[in-house]
PDB file of all heavy atoms in Angstrom:
ATOM      1  N   LYS A   1     -22.080-252.684 -26.652  1.00 96.00           N
ATOM      2  CA  LYS A   1     -22.568-253.526 -27.797  1.00 96.00           C
ATOM      3  C   LYS A   1     -23.357-254.730 -27.347  1.00 96.00           C
ATOM      4  O   LYS A   1     -24.394-255.118 -27.951  1.00 96.00           O
ATOM      5  CB  LYS A   1     -21.423-253.962 -28.662  1.00 96.00           C
ATOM      6  CG  LYS A   1     -21.814-254.661 -29.947  1.00 96.00           C
ATOM      7  CD  LYS A   1     -22.669-253.875 -30.842  1.00 96.00           C
ATOM      8  CE  LYS A   1     -21.889-252.826 -31.621  1.00 96.00           C
ATOM      9  NZ  LYS A   1     -22.681-252.125 -32.595  1.00 96.00           N
ATOM     10  N   ALA A   2     -22.949-255.358 -26.236  1.00 96.00           N
ATOM     11  CA  ALA A   2     -23.679-256.522 -25.712  1.00 96.00           C
ATOM     12  C   ALA A   2     -25.102-256.117 -25.289  1.00 96.00           C
ATOM     13  O   ALA A   2     -26.053-256.894 -25.579  1.00 96.00           O
ATOM     14  CB  ALA A   2     -22.895-257.105 -24.498  1.00 96.00           C
ATOM     15  N   LEU A   3     -25.246-254.923 -24.651  1.00 95.00           N
ATOM     16  CA  LEU A   3     -26.562-254.504 -24.286  1.00 95.00           C
ATOM     17  C   LEU A   3     -27.442-254.143 -25.475  1.00 95.00           C
ATOM     18  O   LEU A   3     -28.641-254.245 -25.458  1.00 95.00           O
ATOM     19  CB  LEU A   3     -26.483-253.303 -23.320  1.00 95.00           C
ATOM     20  CG  LEU A   3     -26.436-253.688 -21.842  1.00 95.00           C
ATOM     21  CD1 LEU A   3     -25.246-254.590 -21.480  1.00 95.00           C
ATOM     22  CD2 LEU A   3     -26.509-252.471 -20.962  1.00 95.00           C
ATOM     23  N   GLU A   4     -26.789-253.752 -26.592  1.00 95.00           N
ATOM     24  CA  GLU A   4     -27.448-253.400 -27.829  1.00 95.00           C
ATOM     25  C   GLU A   4     -27.918-254.634 -28.556  1.00 95.00           C
ATOM     26  O   GLU A   4     -28.996-254.690 -29.119  1.00 95.00           O
ATOM     27  CB  GLU A   4     -26.486-252.619 -28.680  1.00 95.00           C
ATOM     28  CG  GLU A   4     -27.066-251.943 -29.864  1.00 95.00           C
ATOM     29  CD  GLU A   4     -26.009-251.118 -30.643  1.00 95.00           C
ATOM     30  OE1 GLU A   4     -25.260-250.348 -30.032  1.00 95.00           O
ATOM     31  OE2 GLU A   4     -25.960-251.261 -31.878  1.00 95.00           O
ATOM     32  N   VAL A   5     -27.079-255.689 -28.528  1.00 96.00           N
ATOM     33  CA  VAL A   5     -27.365-256.917 -29.322  1.00 96.00           C
ATOM     34  C   VAL A   5     -28.355-257.793 -28.614  1.00 96.00           C
ATOM     35  O   VAL A   5     -29.127-258.476 -29.333  1.00 96.00           O
ATOM     36  CB  VAL A   5     -26.062-257.662 -29.594  1.00 96.00           C
ATOM     37  CG1 VAL A   5     -26.296-259.073 -30.175  1.00 96.00           C
ATOM     38  CG2 VAL A   5     -25.192-256.902 -30.606  1.00 96.00           C
ATOM     39  N   ILE A   6     -28.387-257.834 -27.274  1.00 94.00           N
ATOM     40  CA  ILE A   6     -29.176-258.782 -26.541  1.00 94.00           C
ATOM     41  C   ILE A   6     -30.417-258.092 -25.973  1.00 94.00           C
ATOM     42  O   ILE A   6     -30.319-257.248 -25.082  1.00 94.00           O
ATOM     43  CB  ILE A   6     -28.344-259.404 -25.386  1.00 94.00           C
ATOM     44  CG1 ILE A   6     -27.181-260.160 -25.999  1.00 94.00           C
ATOM     45  CG2 ILE A   6     -29.194-260.344 -24.570  1.00 94.00           C
ATOM     46  CD1 ILE A   6     -26.120-260.605 -25.044  1.00 94.00           C
ATOM     47  N   PRO A   7     -31.630-258.467 -26.487  1.00 87.00           N
ATOM     48  CA  PRO A   7     -32.827-257.815 -25.980  1.00 87.00           C
ATOM     49  C   PRO A   7     -33.011-258.102 -24.457  1.00 87.00           C
ATOM     50  O   PRO A   7     -32.803-259.278 -24.032  1.00 87.00           O
ATOM     51  CB  PRO A   7     -33.956-258.549 -26.772  1.00 87.00           C
ATOM     52  CG  PRO A   7     -33.278-259.133 -27.983  1.00 87.00           C
ATOM     53  CD  PRO A   7     -31.862-259.424 -27.505  1.00 87.00           C
ATOM     54  N   GLY A   8     -33.431-257.197 -23.763  1.00 86.00           N
ATOM     55  CA  GLY A   8     -33.672-257.390 -22.370  1.00 86.00           C
ATOM     56  C   GLY A   8     -32.481-257.165 -21.447  1.00 86.00           C
ATOM     57  O   GLY A   8     -32.627-257.045 -20.242  1.00 86.00           O
ATOM     58  N   ALA A   9     -31.264-257.090 -22.024  1.00 92.00           N
ATOM     59  CA  ALA A   9     -30.047-256.821 -21.220  1.00 92.00           C
ATOM     60  C   ALA A   9     -30.119-255.336 -20.844  1.00 92.00           C
ATOM     61  O   ALA A   9     -30.065-254.465 -21.623  1.00 92.00           O
ATOM     62  CB  ALA A   9     -28.795-257.127 -21.987  1.00 92.00           C
ATOM     63  N   GLU A  10     -30.204-255.136 -19.495  1.00 91.00           N
ATOM     64  CA  GLU A  10     -30.379-253.801 -18.944  1.00 91.00           C
ATOM     65  C   GLU A  10     -29.126-253.298 -18.296  1.00 91.00           C
ATOM     66  O   GLU A  10     -28.896-252.054 -18.237  1.00 91.00           O
ATOM     67  CB  GLU A  10     -31.494-253.773 -17.905  1.00 91.00           C
ATOM     68  CG  GLU A  10     -32.817-254.204 -18.481  1.00 91.00           C
ATOM     69  CD  GLU A  10     -33.854-254.468 -17.337  1.00 91.00           C
ATOM     70  OE1 GLU A  10     -33.479-254.599 -16.124  1.00 91.00           O
ATOM     71  OE2 GLU A  10     -35.052-254.559 -17.681  1.00 91.00           O
ATOM     72  N   LYS A  11     -28.249-254.150 -17.861  1.00 93.00           N
ATOM     73  CA  LYS A  11     -27.050-253.746 -17.194  1.00 93.00           C
ATOM     74  C   LYS A  11     -26.017-254.824 -17.329  1.00 93.00           C
ATOM     75  O   LYS A  11     -26.318-255.995 -17.769  1.00 93.00           O
ATOM     76  CB  LYS A  11     -27.263-253.444 -15.694  1.00 93.00           C
ATOM     77  CG  LYS A  11     -27.952-254.597 -14.973  1.00 93.00           C
ATOM     78  CD  LYS A  11     -28.356-254.175 -13.559  1.00 93.00           C
ATOM     79  CE  LYS A  11     -29.080-255.277 -12.843  1.00 93.00           C
ATOM     80  NZ  LYS A  11     -29.515-254.878 -11.528  1.00 93.00           N
ATOM     81  N   GLY A  12     -24.737-254.550 -16.988  1.00 95.00           N
ATOM     82  CA  GLY A  12     -23.715-255.553 -17.095  1.00 95.00           C
ATOM     83  C   GLY A  12     -22.368-255.140 -16.617  1.00 95.00           C
ATOM     84  O   GLY A  12     -22.173-253.929 -16.243  1.00 95.00           O
ATOM     85  N   VAL A  13     -21.436-256.054 -16.566  1.00 96.00           N
ATOM     86  CA  VAL A  13     -20.061-255.769 -16.193  1.00 96.00           C
ATOM     87  C   VAL A  13     -19.095-256.490 -17.137  1.00 96.00           C
ATOM     88  O   VAL A  13     -19.489-257.485 -17.802  1.00 96.00           O
ATOM     89  CB  VAL A  13     -19.761-256.206 -14.748  1.00 96.00           C
ATOM     90  CG1 VAL A  13     -20.522-255.380 -13.732  1.00 96.00           C
ATOM     91  CG2 VAL A  13     -20.008-257.693 -14.534  1.00 96.00           C
ATOM     92  N   PHE A  14     -17.878-255.928 -17.209  1.00 96.00           N
ATOM     93  CA  PHE A  14     -16.844-256.499 -18.008  1.00 96.00           C
ATOM     94  C   PHE A  14     -15.571-256.553 -17.116  1.00 96.00           C
ATOM     95  O   PHE A  14     -15.103-255.551 -16.663  1.00 96.00           O
ATOM     96  CB  PHE A  14     -16.565-255.683 -19.266  1.00 96.00           C
ATOM     97  CG  PHE A  14     -15.718-256.315 -20.318  1.00 96.00           C
ATOM     98  CD1 PHE A  14     -16.160-256.578 -21.539  1.00 96.00           C
ATOM     99  CD2 PHE A  14     -14.359-256.673 -19.968  1.00 96.00           C
ATOM    100  CE1 PHE A  14     -15.382-257.163 -22.515  1.00 96.00           C
ATOM    101  CE2 PHE A  14     -13.540-257.271 -20.951  1.00 96.00           C
ATOM    102  CZ  PHE A  14     -14.083-257.553 -22.217  1.00 96.00           C
ATOM    103  N   LEU A  15     -15.041-257.754 -16.889  1.00 95.00           N
ATOM    104  CA  LEU A  15     -13.833-257.902 -16.098  1.00 95.00           C
ATOM    105  C   LEU A  15     -12.770-258.561 -16.940  1.00 95.00           C
ATOM    106  O   LEU A  15     -13.124-259.481 -17.698  1.00 95.00           O
ATOM    107  CB  LEU A  15     -14.082-258.767 -14.831  1.00 95.00           C
ATOM    108  CG  LEU A  15     -15.204-258.262 -13.934  1.00 95.00           C
ATOM    109  CD1 LEU A  15     -16.489-259.015 -14.093  1.00 95.00           C
ATOM    110  CD2 LEU A  15     -14.715-258.438 -12.469  1.00 95.00           C
ATOM    111  N   SER A  16     -11.521-258.074 -16.833  1.00 92.00           N
ATOM    112  CA  SER A  16     -10.488-258.753 -17.545  1.00 92.00           C
ATOM    113  C   SER A  16      -9.309-259.015 -16.603  1.00 92.00           C
ATOM    114  O   SER A  16      -9.164-258.347 -15.525  1.00 92.00           O
ATOM    115  CB  SER A  16      -9.977-257.956 -18.764  1.00 92.00           C
ATOM    116  OG  SER A  16      -9.282-256.809 -18.366  1.00 92.00           O
ATOM    117  N   PHE A  17      -8.452-259.937 -16.936  1.00 88.00           N
ATOM    118  CA  PHE A  17      -7.325-260.388 -16.076  1.00 88.00           C
ATOM    119  C   PHE A  17      -6.280-259.235 -15.998  1.00 88.00           C
ATOM    120  O   PHE A  17      -5.880-258.642 -16.966  1.00 88.00           O
ATOM    121  CB  PHE A  17      -6.703-261.635 -16.653  1.00 88.00           C
ATOM    122  CG  PHE A  17      -5.610-262.154 -15.774  1.00 88.00           C
ATOM    123  CD1 PHE A  17      -5.946-262.780 -14.597  1.00 88.00           C
ATOM    124  CD2 PHE A  17      -4.302-262.104 -16.131  1.00 88.00           C
ATOM    125  CE1 PHE A  17      -4.945-263.318 -13.721  1.00 88.00           C
ATOM    126  CE2 PHE A  17      -3.251-262.635 -15.380  1.00 88.00           C
ATOM    127  CZ  PHE A  17      -3.638-263.240 -14.162  1.00 88.00           C
ATOM    128  N   ASP A  18      -5.938-258.919 -14.733  1.00 85.00           N
ATOM    129  CA  ASP A  18      -4.889-257.914 -14.525  1.00 85.00           C
ATOM    130  C   ASP A  18      -3.604-258.655 -14.049  1.00 85.00           C
ATOM    131  O   ASP A  18      -3.535-259.196 -12.962  1.00 85.00           O
ATOM    132  CB  ASP A  18      -5.362-256.974 -13.383  1.00 85.00           C
ATOM    133  CG  ASP A  18      -4.348-255.938 -13.034  1.00 85.00           C
ATOM    134  OD1 ASP A  18      -3.241-255.942 -13.681  1.00 85.00           O
ATOM    135  OD2 ASP A  18      -4.637-255.067 -12.240  1.00 85.00           O
ATOM    136  N   PRO A  19      -2.608-258.740 -14.943  1.00 77.00           N
ATOM    137  CA  PRO A  19      -1.442-259.509 -14.625  1.00 77.00           C
ATOM    138  C   PRO A  19      -0.616-258.992 -13.464  1.00 77.00           C
ATOM    139  O   PRO A  19       0.042-259.711 -12.742  1.00 77.00           O
ATOM    140  CB  PRO A  19      -0.559-259.438 -15.932  1.00 77.00           C
ATOM    141  CG  PRO A  19      -1.120-258.300 -16.702  1.00 77.00           C
ATOM    142  CD  PRO A  19      -2.561-258.099 -16.273  1.00 77.00           C
ATOM    143  N   GLU A  20      -0.747-257.709 -13.173  1.00 81.00           N
ATOM    144  CA  GLU A  20       0.017-257.108 -12.022  1.00 81.00           C
ATOM    145  C   GLU A  20      -0.535-257.650 -10.703  1.00 81.00           C
ATOM    146  O   GLU A  20       0.231-257.842  -9.759  1.00 81.00           O
ATOM    147  CB  GLU A  20      -0.107-255.555 -12.070  1.00 81.00           C
ATOM    148  CG  GLU A  20       0.719-254.976 -13.195  1.00 81.00           C
ATOM    149  CD  GLU A  20       0.676-253.439 -13.163  1.00 81.00           C
ATOM    150  OE1 GLU A  20       0.249-252.889 -12.145  1.00 81.00           O
ATOM    151  OE2 GLU A  20       1.095-252.829 -14.199  1.00 81.00           O
ATOM    152  N   ASN A  21      -1.869-257.821 -10.588  1.00 83.00           N
ATOM    153  CA  ASN A  21      -2.492-258.256  -9.357  1.00 83.00           C
ATOM    154  C   ASN A  21      -2.833-259.754  -9.402  1.00 83.00           C
ATOM    155  O   ASN A  21      -3.353-260.293  -8.401  1.00 83.00           O
ATOM    156  CB  ASN A  21      -3.712-257.436  -9.003  1.00 83.00           C
ATOM    157  CG  ASN A  21      -3.365-255.969  -8.824  1.00 83.00           C
ATOM    158  OD1 ASN A  21      -2.414-255.670  -8.182  1.00 83.00           O
ATOM    159  ND2 ASN A  21      -4.185-255.105  -9.362  1.00 83.00           N
ATOM    160  N   ASP A  22      -2.621-260.413 -10.570  1.00 80.00           N
ATOM    161  CA  ASP A  22      -2.977-261.819 -10.743  1.00 80.00           C
ATOM    162  C   ASP A  22      -4.458-262.059 -10.352  1.00 80.00           C
ATOM    163  O   ASP A  22      -4.802-263.041  -9.620  1.00 80.00           O
ATOM    164  CB  ASP A  22      -2.090-262.683  -9.889  1.00 80.00           C
ATOM    165  CG  ASP A  22      -2.106-264.152 -10.355  1.00 80.00           C
ATOM    166  OD1 ASP A  22      -2.414-264.431 -11.530  1.00 80.00           O
ATOM    167  OD2 ASP A  22      -1.885-265.009  -9.493  1.00 80.00           O
ATOM    168  N   ALA A  23      -5.364-261.196 -10.849  1.00 87.00           N
ATOM    169  CA  ALA A  23      -6.807-261.334 -10.519  1.00 87.00           C
ATOM    170  C   ALA A  23      -7.578-260.594 -11.600  1.00 87.00           C
ATOM    171  O   ALA A  23      -7.122-259.826 -12.413  1.00 87.00           O
ATOM    172  CB  ALA A  23      -7.058-260.697  -9.151  1.00 87.00           C
ATOM    173  N   LEU A  24      -8.889-260.898 -11.567  1.00 91.00           N
ATOM    174  CA  LEU A  24      -9.825-260.231 -12.480  1.00 91.00           C
ATOM    175  C   LEU A  24     -10.118-258.797 -11.962  1.00 91.00           C
ATOM    176  O   LEU A  24     -10.280-258.600 -10.756  1.00 91.00           O
ATOM    177  CB  LEU A  24     -11.143-261.001 -12.606  1.00 91.00           C
ATOM    178  CG  LEU A  24     -11.103-262.288 -13.370  1.00 91.00           C
ATOM    179  CD1 LEU A  24     -12.433-262.999 -13.248  1.00 91.00           C
ATOM    180  CD2 LEU A  24     -10.821-262.077 -14.816  1.00 91.00           C
TER     181      LEU A  24
END
């Protein structure tokens, strides 16, 4: 959806917090 909404956005990443490893 981010690539659909933002003109020119060609690629991307999504990171979320992993509580088991205490890291993104």
Side-chain angles (χ1 to χ4, degrees):
K1 184 60 75 174
L3 268 62
E4 191 177 313
V5 169
I6 300 168
E10 299 169 344
K11 55 189 176 180
V13 293
F14 192 119
L15 301 101
S16 72
F17 185 71
D18 181 358
E20 290 183 13
N21 298 319
D22 196 29
L24 287 173

